[in-house]
Amino acid sequence: SVTHKRDLALVLVGDARHGDLGLDLEDDLRAASVVAEKILVPEELDAVRALHEADRASAILMRFAFKEAVYKAVYPHVR
């Protein structure tokens, strides 16, 4: 799996006999509030809103990156 941003690229390689891999990198904290309503289920939104304001953007991006990584791993099997 491959992911990149402006100044960083990451590659994750593994033996396909052991399953598929997904990798994602998100770094735009400003975009977090924009994508939150689109990518988080109500329970996740509640959990994020319960956090201190300074921690919310990174929590949103962490959830987004996790979901993108899972998508990259399963997409070849479900497309």
Side-chain angles (χ1 to χ4, degrees), residues 1-3 12 19-26 39 44 61-79:
S1 188
V2 177
T3 188
L12 187 62
D20 296 307
L21 300 171
L23 181 65
D24 190 56
L25 176 64
E26 298 298 331
I39 59 137
E44 290 174 307
L61 292 185
M62 180 69 72
R63 286 167 170 82
F64 182 46
F66 176 77
K67 291 178 181 196
E68 283 287 309
V70 169
Y71 174 80
K72 289 178 179 181
V74 301
Y75 177 74
H77 304 286
V78 297
R79 58 181 158 158

mmCIF file of all heavy atoms in Angstrom, residues 1-3 12 19-26 39 44 61-79:
data_model
loop_
_atom_site.group_PDB
_atom_site.id
_atom_site.type_symbol
_atom_site.label_atom_id
_atom_site.label_comp_id
_atom_site.label_asym_id
_atom_site.label_seq_id
_atom_site.Cartn_x
_atom_site.Cartn_y
_atom_site.Cartn_z
ATOM 1 N N SER A 1 0.850 -1.176 0.000
ATOM 2 C CA SER A 1 0.000 0.000 0.000
ATOM 3 C C SER A 1 0.893 1.235 0.000
ATOM 4 O O SER A 1 1.970 1.228 0.590
ATOM 5 C CB SER A 1 -0.910 -0.007 1.231
ATOM 6 O OG SER A 1 -1.864 1.029 1.137
ATOM 7 N N VAL A 2 0.448 2.277 -0.657
ATOM 8 C CA VAL A 2 1.227 3.510 -0.781
ATOM 9 C C VAL A 2 0.358 4.691 -0.382
ATOM 10 O O VAL A 2 -0.832 4.737 -0.688
ATOM 11 C CB VAL A 2 1.708 3.715 -2.241
ATOM 12 C CG1 VAL A 2 2.449 5.022 -2.389
ATOM 13 C CG2 VAL A 2 2.560 2.556 -2.688
ATOM 14 N N THR A 3 0.964 5.646 0.288
ATOM 15 C CA THR A 3 0.281 6.903 0.590
ATOM 16 C C THR A 3 1.319 8.023 0.558
ATOM 17 O O THR A 3 2.511 7.784 0.754
ATOM 18 C CB THR A 3 -0.432 6.843 1.962
ATOM 19 O OG1 THR A 3 -1.233 8.016 2.130
ATOM 20 C CG2 THR A 3 0.542 6.738 3.111
ATOM 21 N N LEU A 12 3.984 0.403 2.476
ATOM 22 C CA LEU A 12 3.848 -0.738 3.373
ATOM 23 C C LEU A 12 3.801 -1.985 2.507
ATOM 24 O O LEU A 12 2.953 -2.102 1.612
ATOM 25 C CB LEU A 12 2.556 -0.590 4.185
ATOM 26 C CG LEU A 12 2.286 -1.574 5.297
ATOM 27 C CD1 LEU A 12 3.370 -1.491 6.369
ATOM 28 C CD2 LEU A 12 0.931 -1.268 5.927
ATOM 29 N N GLY A 19 -2.509 -11.855 4.102
ATOM 30 C CA GLY A 19 -3.576 -10.858 4.064
ATOM 31 C C GLY A 19 -3.160 -9.612 3.323
ATOM 32 O O GLY A 19 -2.034 -9.495 2.841
ATOM 33 N N ASP A 20 -4.086 -8.690 3.229
ATOM 34 C CA ASP A 20 -3.849 -7.442 2.500
ATOM 35 C C ASP A 20 -3.551 -6.298 3.454
ATOM 36 O O ASP A 20 -3.963 -6.319 4.617
ATOM 37 C CB ASP A 20 -5.068 -7.105 1.649
ATOM 38 C CG ASP A 20 -5.290 -8.154 0.577
ATOM 39 O OD1 ASP A 20 -4.344 -8.437 -0.168
ATOM 40 O OD2 ASP A 20 -6.405 -8.691 0.508
ATOM 41 N N LEU A 21 -2.869 -5.301 2.929
ATOM 42 C CA LEU A 21 -2.460 -4.153 3.726
ATOM 43 C C LEU A 21 -3.086 -2.876 3.184
ATOM 44 O O LEU A 21 -3.305 -2.747 1.983
ATOM 45 C CB LEU A 21 -0.931 -4.004 3.682
ATOM 46 C CG LEU A 21 -0.134 -5.186 4.211
ATOM 47 C CD1 LEU A 21 1.344 -4.994 3.892
ATOM 48 C CD2 LEU A 21 -0.345 -5.345 5.695
ATOM 49 N N GLY A 22 -3.334 -1.964 4.070
ATOM 50 C CA GLY A 22 -3.798 -0.642 3.679
ATOM 51 C C GLY A 22 -3.060 0.393 4.508
ATOM 52 O O GLY A 22 -2.779 0.163 5.686
ATOM 53 N N LEU A 23 -2.743 1.516 3.902
ATOM 54 C CA LEU A 23 -1.989 2.566 4.573
ATOM 55 C C LEU A 23 -2.528 3.907 4.123
ATOM 56 O O LEU A 23 -2.776 4.110 2.936
ATOM 57 C CB LEU A 23 -0.500 2.425 4.199
ATOM 58 C CG LEU A 23 0.495 3.400 4.794
ATOM 59 C CD1 LEU A 23 0.576 3.213 6.307
ATOM 60 C CD2 LEU A 23 1.862 3.189 4.161
ATOM 61 N N ASP A 24 -2.697 4.817 5.054
ATOM 62 C CA ASP A 24 -3.136 6.161 4.695
ATOM 63 C C ASP A 24 -2.471 7.163 5.611
ATOM 64 O O ASP A 24 -2.146 6.856 6.765
ATOM 65 C CB ASP A 24 -4.657 6.304 4.798
ATOM 66 C CG ASP A 24 -5.132 7.616 4.204
ATOM 67 O OD1 ASP A 24 -4.827 7.877 3.023
ATOM 68 O OD2 ASP A 24 -5.786 8.395 4.907
ATOM 69 N N LEU A 25 -2.284 8.348 5.106
ATOM 70 C CA LEU A 25 -1.639 9.430 5.837
ATOM 71 C C LEU A 25 -2.472 10.690 5.645
ATOM 72 O O LEU A 25 -2.753 11.076 4.509
ATOM 73 C CB LEU A 25 -0.220 9.644 5.283
ATOM 74 C CG LEU A 25 0.609 10.780 5.832
ATOM 75 C CD1 LEU A 25 0.904 10.549 7.308
ATOM 76 C CD2 LEU A 25 1.905 10.905 5.046
ATOM 77 N N GLU A 26 -2.877 11.290 6.728
ATOM 78 C CA GLU A 26 -3.625 12.551 6.676
ATOM 79 C C GLU A 26 -2.891 13.570 7.528
ATOM 80 O O GLU A 26 -2.455 13.254 8.639
ATOM 81 C CB GLU A 26 -5.052 12.354 7.200
ATOM 82 C CG GLU A 26 -5.889 11.376 6.410
ATOM 83 C CD GLU A 26 -6.111 11.782 4.970
ATOM 84 O OE1 GLU A 26 -6.121 12.991 4.672
ATOM 85 O OE2 GLU A 26 -6.258 10.880 4.128
ATOM 86 N N ILE A 39 -17.567 11.512 7.193
ATOM 87 C CA ILE A 39 -16.895 10.228 7.375
ATOM 88 C C ILE A 39 -17.118 9.572 8.734
ATOM 89 O O ILE A 39 -16.805 8.398 8.898
ATOM 90 C CB ILE A 39 -15.383 10.367 7.127
ATOM 91 C CG1 ILE A 39 -14.779 11.387 8.081
ATOM 92 C CG2 ILE A 39 -15.098 10.743 5.694
ATOM 93 C CD1 ILE A 39 -13.491 10.959 8.671
ATOM 94 N N GLU A 44 -19.065 8.187 16.652
ATOM 95 C CA GLU A 44 -17.720 8.757 16.528
ATOM 96 C C GLU A 44 -17.759 10.269 16.691
ATOM 97 O O GLU A 44 -16.884 10.859 17.336
ATOM 98 C CB GLU A 44 -17.104 8.399 15.185
ATOM 99 C CG GLU A 44 -16.746 6.935 15.040
ATOM 100 C CD GLU A 44 -16.268 6.599 13.653
ATOM 101 O OE1 GLU A 44 -16.992 6.919 12.676
ATOM 102 O OE2 GLU A 44 -15.178 6.028 13.540
ATOM 103 N N LEU A 61 -8.887 13.130 12.018
ATOM 104 C CA LEU A 61 -7.983 12.670 10.967
ATOM 105 C C LEU A 61 -7.496 11.249 11.227
ATOM 106 O O LEU A 61 -7.302 10.475 10.285
ATOM 107 C CB LEU A 61 -6.806 13.619 10.811
ATOM 108 C CG LEU A 61 -7.144 14.995 10.252
ATOM 109 C CD1 LEU A 61 -5.868 15.799 10.023
ATOM 110 C CD2 LEU A 61 -7.946 14.900 8.968
ATOM 111 N N MET A 62 -7.317 10.874 12.490
ATOM 112 C CA MET A 62 -6.914 9.507 12.812
ATOM 113 C C MET A 62 -7.998 8.525 12.374
ATOM 114 O O MET A 62 -7.721 7.496 11.751
ATOM 115 C CB MET A 62 -6.665 9.368 14.307
ATOM 116 C CG MET A 62 -6.234 7.982 14.710
ATOM 117 S SD MET A 62 -4.584 7.562 14.134
ATOM 118 C CE MET A 62 -3.624 8.576 15.221
ATOM 119 N N ARG A 63 -9.250 8.850 12.654
ATOM 120 C CA ARG A 63 -10.353 7.987 12.237
ATOM 121 C C ARG A 63 -10.472 7.930 10.714
ATOM 122 O O ARG A 63 -10.721 6.881 10.138
ATOM 123 C CB ARG A 63 -11.656 8.463 12.869
ATOM 124 C CG ARG A 63 -11.765 8.145 14.347
ATOM 125 C CD ARG A 63 -12.913 8.915 14.993
ATOM 126 N NE ARG A 63 -13.181 8.469 16.338
ATOM 127 C CZ ARG A 63 -12.503 8.859 17.413
ATOM 128 N NH1 ARG A 63 -11.495 9.708 17.287
ATOM 129 N NH2 ARG A 63 -12.821 8.403 18.619
ATOM 130 N N PHE A 64 -10.295 9.066 10.071
ATOM 131 C CA PHE A 64 -10.349 9.122 8.618
ATOM 132 C C PHE A 64 -9.240 8.265 8.012
ATOM 133 O O PHE A 64 -9.480 7.462 7.099
ATOM 134 C CB PHE A 64 -10.257 10.574 8.150
ATOM 135 C CG PHE A 64 -10.340 10.756 6.660
ATOM 136 C CD1 PHE A 64 -11.295 10.098 5.914
ATOM 137 C CD2 PHE A 64 -9.471 11.600 6.008
ATOM 138 C CE1 PHE A 64 -11.386 10.279 4.535
ATOM 139 C CE2 PHE A 64 -9.545 11.793 4.638
ATOM 140 C CZ PHE A 64 -10.514 11.118 3.902
ATOM 141 N N ALA A 65 -8.022 8.414 8.496
ATOM 142 C CA ALA A 65 -6.891 7.648 7.973
ATOM 143 C C ALA A 65 -7.110 6.155 8.184
ATOM 144 O O ALA A 65 -6.805 5.345 7.301
ATOM 145 C CB ALA A 65 -5.593 8.101 8.643
ATOM 146 N N PHE A 66 -7.648 5.773 9.325
ATOM 147 C CA PHE A 66 -7.923 4.364 9.586
ATOM 148 C C PHE A 66 -8.923 3.816 8.567
ATOM 149 O O PHE A 66 -8.719 2.749 7.993
ATOM 150 C CB PHE A 66 -8.460 4.190 11.012
ATOM 151 C CG PHE A 66 -8.855 2.780 11.319
ATOM 152 C CD1 PHE A 66 -7.893 1.827 11.595
ATOM 153 C CD2 PHE A 66 -10.179 2.403 11.326
ATOM 154 C CE1 PHE A 66 -8.249 0.515 11.866
ATOM 155 C CE2 PHE A 66 -10.556 1.101 11.593
ATOM 156 C CZ PHE A 66 -9.583 0.150 11.867
ATOM 157 N N LYS A 67 -9.991 4.552 8.331
ATOM 158 C CA LYS A 67 -11.015 4.099 7.384
ATOM 159 C C LYS A 67 -10.462 4.029 5.964
ATOM 160 O O LYS A 67 -10.776 3.102 5.209
ATOM 161 C CB LYS A 67 -12.238 5.013 7.445
ATOM 162 C CG LYS A 67 -12.997 4.861 8.755
ATOM 163 C CD LYS A 67 -14.175 5.791 8.836
ATOM 164 C CE LYS A 67 -14.880 5.614 10.178
ATOM 165 N NZ LYS A 67 -16.213 6.195 10.182
ATOM 166 N N GLU A 68 -9.645 4.981 5.577
ATOM 167 C CA GLU A 68 -9.028 4.958 4.254
ATOM 168 C C GLU A 68 -8.085 3.767 4.105
ATOM 169 O O GLU A 68 -8.046 3.123 3.060
ATOM 170 C CB GLU A 68 -8.253 6.259 3.994
ATOM 171 C CG GLU A 68 -9.133 7.421 3.657
ATOM 172 C CD GLU A 68 -9.728 7.309 2.260
ATOM 173 O OE1 GLU A 68 -8.981 7.082 1.289
ATOM 174 O OE2 GLU A 68 -10.945 7.456 2.145
ATOM 175 N N ALA A 69 -7.335 3.459 5.145
ATOM 176 C CA ALA A 69 -6.418 2.324 5.106
ATOM 177 C C ALA A 69 -7.190 1.010 4.958
ATOM 178 O O ALA A 69 -6.801 0.139 4.176
ATOM 179 C CB ALA A 69 -5.547 2.298 6.354
ATOM 180 N N VAL A 70 -8.280 0.873 5.687
ATOM 181 C CA VAL A 70 -9.107 -0.331 5.568
ATOM 182 C C VAL A 70 -9.679 -0.422 4.156
ATOM 183 O O VAL A 70 -9.668 -1.491 3.534
ATOM 184 C CB VAL A 70 -10.226 -0.347 6.629
ATOM 185 C CG1 VAL A 70 -11.232 -1.447 6.353
ATOM 186 C CG2 VAL A 70 -9.631 -0.485 8.022
ATOM 187 N N TYR A 71 -10.150 0.691 3.643
ATOM 188 C CA TYR A 71 -10.691 0.716 2.281
ATOM 189 C C TYR A 71 -9.652 0.238 1.268
ATOM 190 O O TYR A 71 -9.943 -0.570 0.389
ATOM 191 C CB TYR A 71 -11.177 2.122 1.944
ATOM 192 C CG TYR A 71 -11.618 2.279 0.510
ATOM 193 C CD1 TYR A 71 -12.874 1.856 0.111
ATOM 194 C CD2 TYR A 71 -10.769 2.833 -0.439
ATOM 195 C CE1 TYR A 71 -13.284 1.990 -1.213
ATOM 196 C CE2 TYR A 71 -11.163 2.973 -1.756
ATOM 197 C CZ TYR A 71 -12.416 2.555 -2.141
ATOM 198 O OH TYR A 71 -12.815 2.672 -3.438
ATOM 199 N N LYS A 72 -8.428 0.734 1.392
ATOM 200 C CA LYS A 72 -7.372 0.344 0.457
ATOM 201 C C LYS A 72 -7.077 -1.151 0.539
ATOM 202 O O LYS A 72 -6.737 -1.776 -0.460
ATOM 203 C CB LYS A 72 -6.101 1.139 0.725
ATOM 204 C CG LYS A 72 -6.193 2.596 0.326
ATOM 205 C CD LYS A 72 -4.913 3.309 0.668
ATOM 206 C CE LYS A 72 -4.958 4.771 0.256
ATOM 207 N NZ LYS A 72 -3.683 5.461 0.587
ATOM 208 N N ALA A 73 -7.213 -1.722 1.717
ATOM 209 C CA ALA A 73 -6.939 -3.146 1.888
ATOM 210 C C ALA A 73 -8.055 -4.010 1.328
ATOM 211 O O ALA A 73 -7.790 -5.061 0.748
ATOM 212 C CB ALA A 73 -6.721 -3.464 3.363
ATOM 213 N N VAL A 74 -9.313 -3.588 1.455
ATOM 214 C CA VAL A 74 -10.419 -4.443 1.037
ATOM 215 C C VAL A 74 -10.926 -4.141 -0.373
ATOM 216 O O VAL A 74 -11.555 -5.000 -0.993
ATOM 217 C CB VAL A 74 -11.606 -4.403 2.036
ATOM 218 C CG1 VAL A 74 -11.175 -4.855 3.408
ATOM 219 C CG2 VAL A 74 -12.248 -3.044 2.094
ATOM 220 N N TYR A 75 -10.659 -2.969 -0.890
ATOM 221 C CA TYR A 75 -11.192 -2.583 -2.198
ATOM 222 C C TYR A 75 -10.890 -3.594 -3.302
ATOM 223 O O TYR A 75 -11.798 -3.915 -4.083
ATOM 224 C CB TYR A 75 -10.701 -1.202 -2.604
ATOM 225 C CG TYR A 75 -11.164 -0.789 -3.974
ATOM 226 C CD1 TYR A 75 -12.495 -0.414 -4.180
ATOM 227 C CD2 TYR A 75 -10.312 -0.822 -5.068
ATOM 228 C CE1 TYR A 75 -12.950 -0.065 -5.451
ATOM 229 C CE2 TYR A 75 -10.748 -0.471 -6.329
ATOM 230 C CZ TYR A 75 -12.065 -0.088 -6.516
ATOM 231 O OH TYR A 75 -12.508 0.240 -7.766
ATOM 232 N N PRO A 76 -9.683 -4.125 -3.403
ATOM 233 C CA PRO A 76 -9.429 -5.077 -4.498
ATOM 234 C C PRO A 76 -10.357 -6.306 -4.459
ATOM 235 O O PRO A 76 -10.564 -6.954 -5.470
ATOM 236 C CB PRO A 76 -7.968 -5.492 -4.278
ATOM 237 C CG PRO A 76 -7.370 -4.366 -3.525
ATOM 238 C CD PRO A 76 -8.484 -3.845 -2.646
ATOM 239 N N HIS A 77 -10.907 -6.600 -3.315
ATOM 240 C CA HIS A 77 -11.745 -7.778 -3.155
ATOM 241 C C HIS A 77 -13.240 -7.493 -3.347
ATOM 242 O O HIS A 77 -14.019 -8.419 -3.551
ATOM 243 C CB HIS A 77 -11.531 -8.409 -1.788
ATOM 244 C CG HIS A 77 -10.100 -8.752 -1.556
ATOM 245 N ND1 HIS A 77 -9.472 -9.820 -2.169
ATOM 246 C CD2 HIS A 77 -9.150 -8.150 -0.806
ATOM 247 C CE1 HIS A 77 -8.212 -9.871 -1.794
ATOM 248 N NE2 HIS A 77 -7.982 -8.867 -0.969
ATOM 249 N N VAL A 78 -13.637 -6.235 -3.260
ATOM 250 C CA VAL A 78 -15.071 -5.918 -3.289
ATOM 251 C C VAL A 78 -15.472 -5.017 -4.450
ATOM 252 O O VAL A 78 -16.645 -4.712 -4.598
ATOM 253 C CB VAL A 78 -15.527 -5.262 -1.968
ATOM 254 C CG1 VAL A 78 -15.356 -6.220 -0.819
ATOM 255 C CG2 VAL A 78 -14.801 -3.957 -1.708
ATOM 256 N N ARG A 79 -14.537 -4.589 -5.267
ATOM 257 C CA ARG A 79 -14.881 -3.665 -6.357
ATOM 258 C C ARG A 79 -15.752 -4.287 -7.389
ATOM 259 O O ARG A 79 -15.963 -5.368 -7.625
ATOM 260 C CB ARG A 79 -13.657 -3.058 -6.990
ATOM 261 C CG ARG A 79 -12.680 -4.058 -7.557
ATOM 262 C CD ARG A 79 -11.503 -3.347 -8.130
ATOM 263 N NE ARG A 79 -10.422 -4.322 -8.155
ATOM 264 C CZ ARG A 79 -9.395 -4.227 -8.935
ATOM 265 N NH1 ARG A 79 -9.253 -3.211 -9.719
ATOM 266 N NH2 ARG A 79 -8.454 -5.128 -8.915
#
